[in-house]
Amino acid sequence: MAVALAAEPSGGWRWYYAAYGSPAPEARVFTRVGTASVAVDGAALRIDFKEDAPAPGERARFVGKRAAGRVSGRLVGFFPSGDEMRQGDYREQRVANCRWHEIALRPQVPDGSVLIVSRMEGVCQ
């Protein structure tokens, strides 16, 4: 089964990345935000990121797989330092006329950063 869910202004996929600027207790938190296109084909998962304030020529994507609620793969073109392996969770919740999807990606070596891709469908509060 192939599902392609493109980013839309209303009910589309949104993402944010948050990370600490340094290991110091008073470190600032850096954030990046944007929209995404998410495609799921069986166990294969692809996320194409579009940043709200993109750098010239930037085409970031995540290519990986999901199984039993777990996600793993390579984050390509997101960081200037190069590609990075990420792992995390895929969660979905349904309540009445509302459905939430969330993909949380974290680095293999925990550093406090997180990349969240989420979508709400239907009449949600």
Side-chain angles (χ1 to χ4, degrees), residues 23-97:
E26 67 279 355
R28 297 183 67 171
V29 175
F30 294 107
T31 59
R32 292 168 61 182
V33 298
T35 57
S37 296
V38 176
V40 180
D41 186 3
L45 172 66
R46 180 180 172 111
I47 305 170
D48 291 299
F49 298 96
K50 181 178 179 194
E51 194 158 358
D52 287 352
E58 196 169 300
R59 295 234 185 256
R61 68 188 177 282
F62 175 82
V63 180
K65 59 185 176 183
R66 70 180 184 124
R70 297 292 298 159
V71 176
S72 62
R74 181 174 297 279
L75 187 58
V76 178
F78 196 83
F79 301 110
S81 58
D83 299 349
E84 193 174 283
M85 295 303 293
R86 291 266 163 159
Q87 58 193 10
D89 303 297
Y90 175 86
R91 301 186 317 162
E92 188 176 310
Q93 177 73 39
R94 292 174 192 241
V95 177
N97 297 323

